[in-house]
Amino acid sequence: MDKQKTTLRDSRGMRWGVLFLISFTLLCSYYLADAMAPLEQRLEILLNWNAGDYGFFTSAYGWFNVFLLMMVFSGMFLDWVGVRIAGITSIVVMIIGALIKYYAIVGDVGNDILSFHLINYKLFSVSKSAFYAGLGFALFGVGTELFGITANKAIIRWFRGKEMALAIGLNTSTGRIGTALAMFTPIPLVKLTGNIGAPVLFAILMLCIGLLIFIFFIVLDRKLDKEEELAHADEEEQFKFGDIFKIIKVRAFWYITILCLLFYSAVFPFIKFATNLIMQKFDVSDDMAGFIPALLPMGALFLTPLFGSIYDRKGKGASIMLIGSVILLSVHLLFSIPSLNNLYVAIALILLLGVAFSMVPASMWPSVAKIIPEQRLGTAYALIFWLQNWGIMGVPMLIGMILEKYCITGTAKKIIDGQTVDVTLYNYTLPMLIFACFGLASILFAWLLKVEDRKKGYGLENANEE
């Protein structure tokens, strides 16, 4: 009974080194998730897509996770096999999905590589390239979400009782770097290579590097197992199907899950359309428009660890989530006002949204570990991510349909890559009001979570560091 025995996780340098190994792959996955967002107009021109095609493709990220319950099964898989096997599996799945996405996009432009039809894509009223690119994106989404919950569980193991919220915040922030890179590097990559699939190819290369880095993490994690004498987990730590029922009986779990669904439905789908919104409402060139949405994840890069550190030292996790939800509502309401079309207003609102985007995740993910026991965390995170994927999948499709049906205001001539083309113009007021509704509902569930914590004493308002 040597509880004071020093292990790898007691070394500050080793803990933070492990965090870097885990977070790099998350960065790669976030990059590919958003790499096509700045290229929406080029996809419409080169692949003859419309807003509906783009919304369909973007929504594909959640197809398998939602309809095939892959997100739920991923959590069971994680709790059953552990973070090491789950991590390797998730990266391999991401790479396969990314390859399908790449060939779908490049094939339709060039040699029509995807001449086969496993499914009649015409049933979905979208173009062939949009359907097959969506198919690859859907598979990629399975791997990404599995890796996301795997990373959280691994970090909680290495940082529990220490700088847990800060570590989760830094992990999230590293992912935001990938999102930021996805905002302003795709257009230069396409111009440099003349290949609209170049950002996807670049992401595949990064994921292969991430796979090698994660293997190094496995070596360290195995050593920690030996030090803590956990090489053979006891029966209590093995996944049991009944754990799902134990989780869903917890009211606070549902409050934080619905808050996650609403909050991310108002942020990630917004990012998908933000570049075109900035270009059209604020009259910014496509070369510069991607840089403005990139301020959102870049701001979160620095602020998420800050709020995580505050949570670790001072507590107030539920209160931070409530304040972040209020900011989210305010930003989307201001974006919906047609007369607020000054570029500096856009920059200020994106920066403010970055604050909300930092506050809520920095407090939300560590709070789950206070509500749900560690041996059920993989399944709990999976259930949360599964519902979150409904929003990530459904909201872009909804926004794309609304833009196509209600928001077209005309067309305009524009020079893109030296060619004069017709560009469809949209009014984004209605979509922004929809995002604002998600923000309003987020406030309600953040408040309910705070009330429930006061009743049950989960410690969401207490500090994390022991």
Side-chain angles (χ1 to χ4, degrees):
M1 292 184 62
D2 185 12
K3 292 190 176 181
Q4 299 302 317
K5 180 181 176 181
T6 300
T7 65
L8 285 177
R9 67 186 296 274
D10 293 314
S11 166
R12 181 183 295 270
M14 189 60 68
R15 286 199 306 274
W16 294 109
V18 164
L19 177 65
F20 169 78
L21 297 177
I22 295 171
S23 298
F24 178 80
T25 302
L26 193 69
L27 181 155
C28 301
S29 67
Y30 271 55
Y31 177 84
L32 185 53
D34 292 304
M36 304 311 291
L39 303 176
E40 180 183 352
Q41 281 193 352
R42 282 175 168 77
L43 291 170
E44 292 183 8
I45 295 166
L46 295 176
L47 303 184
N48 295 317
W49 287 13
N50 56 34
D53 289 327
Y54 179 74
F56 178 88
F57 158 71
T58 302
S59 74
Y61 180 92
W63 286 352
F64 297 156
N65 285 327
V66 171
F67 295 122
L68 299 184
L69 299 180
M70 290 305 298
M71 193 69 260
V72 178
F73 292 134
S74 292
M76 298 179 188
F77 178 70
L78 169 59
D79 284 336
W80 178 40
V81 304
V83 299
R84 297 189 285 266
I85 295 177
I88 290 292
T89 303
S90 64
I91 299 171
V92 171
V93 170
M94 281 192 280
I95 292 172
I96 295 172
L99 285 169
I100 295 173
K101 179 178 176 179
Y102 174 75
Y103 282 115
I105 294 171
V106 174
D108 207 70
V109 174
N111 299 320
D112 200 14
I113 295 172
L114 287 173
S115 58
F116 58 88
H117 302 299
L118 296 177
I119 302 173
N120 187 354
Y121 64 91
K122 294 181 181 179
L123 294 175
F124 297 88
S125 300
V126 296
S127 68
K128 180 179 67 176
S129 58
F131 176 80
Y132 283 107
L135 192 65
F137 201 24
L139 186 60
F140 168 79
V142 173
T144 300
E145 296 300 307
L146 173 56
F147 189 82
I149 61 176
T150 299
N152 274 353
K153 187 167 183 177
I155 290 169
I156 287 169
R157 180 194 180 188
W158 280 78
F159 283 87
R160 183 178 287 278
K162 302 182 186 297
E163 314 93 338
M164 184 173 67
L166 175 59
I168 292 177
L170 284 169
N171 180 59
T172 303
S173 293
T174 306
R176 303 293 182 249
I177 296 176
T179 303
L181 290 173
M183 291 296 102
F184 58 81
T185 62
I187 289 179
L189 279 173
V190 171
K191 288 186 174 181
L192 179 66
T193 63
N195 177 5
I196 196 170
V200 180
L201 198 59
F202 176 65
I204 293 171
L205 174 62
M206 295 200 332
L207 283 170
C208 291
I209 296 172
L211 178 60
L212 297 176
I213 289 177
F214 192 81
I215 291 173
F216 183 52
F217 158 75
I218 289 176
V219 174
L220 296 176
D221 202 56
R222 284 186 181 277
K223 186 174 181 181
L224 180 63
D225 265 2
K226 294 177 181 179
E227 290 180 344
E228 295 188 338
E229 299 178 351
L230 293 174
H232 302 285
D234 60 32
E235 183 180 352
E236 182 178 279
E237 292 180 322
Q238 295 298 315
F239 169 75
K240 297 183 286 291
F241 190 79
D243 287 346
I244 295 180
F245 298 100
K246 293 178 181 178
I247 292 169
I248 62 177
K249 289 179 181 178
V250 180
R251 183 177 297 178
F253 168 78
W254 283 110
Y255 290 154
I256 204 167
T257 298
I258 296 173
L259 170 60
C260 176
L261 166 65
L262 295 167
F263 183 85
Y264 280 100
S265 292
V267 177
F268 283 129
F270 168 75
I271 291 175
K272 304 294 185 184
F273 293 91
T275 300
N276 207 40
L277 163 68
I278 298 296
M279 289 167 56
Q280 297 201 11
K281 181 174 181 178
F282 300 94
D283 195 24
V284 179
S285 69
D286 62 352
D287 289 326
M288 293 298 299
F291 285 89
I292 298 175
L295 294 174
L296 192 160
M298 287 303 294
L301 168 65
F302 299 104
L303 292 176
T304 303
L306 172 62
F307 290 115
S309 180
I310 292 172
Y311 189 12
D312 280 330
R313 294 181 291 106
K314 305 294 185 181
K316 305 299 180 185
S319 298
I320 293 174
M321 284 184 262
L322 180 58
I323 296 170
S325 298
V326 171
I327 295 174
L328 177 71
L329 170 64
S330 303
V331 169
H332 285 318
L333 283 177
L334 290 171
F335 259 126
S336 71
I337 300 175
S339 59
L340 289 179
N341 57 3
N342 183 279
L343 178 59
Y344 294 106
V345 171
I347 294 173
L349 291 178
I350 289 292
L351 290 173
L352 192 57
L353 184 58
V355 175
F357 199 29
S358 304
M359 298 178 76
V360 175
S363 305
M364 181 189 302
W365 302 123
S367 294
V368 177
K370 291 185 175 184
I371 296 171
I372 303 297
E374 186 171 353
Q375 64 268 25
R376 300 176 196 142
L377 268 180
T379 303
Y381 277 129
L383 289 170
I384 294 173
F385 278 40
W386 177 65
L387 284 173
Q388 174 190 321
N389 268 257
W390 278 95
I392 292 175
M393 178 198 69
V395 174
M397 184 178 291
L398 172 66
I399 298 298
M401 292 171 57
I402 287 175
L403 283 170
E404 191 70 22
K405 190 169 184 179
Y406 301 107
C407 303
I408 294 177
T409 60
T411 59
K413 299 289 185 182
K414 189 171 183 179
I415 299 176
I416 295 181
D417 296 339
Q419 298 183 7
T420 301
V421 296
D422 288 323
V423 174
T424 303
L425 301 179
Y426 301 100
N427 182 329
Y428 279 88
T429 298
L430 183 56
M432 295 312 304
L433 288 174
I434 292 173
F435 288 134
C437 289
F438 290 129
L440 180 62
S442 296
I443 295 173
L444 171 62
F445 282 93
W447 177 77
L448 288 172
L449 179 63
K450 185 172 181 177
V451 172
E452 186 70 8
D453 175 58
R454 191 180 301 126
K455 291 179 180 177
K456 298 296 178 65
Y458 292 111
L460 303 188
E461 296 288 273
N462 298 336
N464 295 320
E465 292 184 2
E466 295 177 350

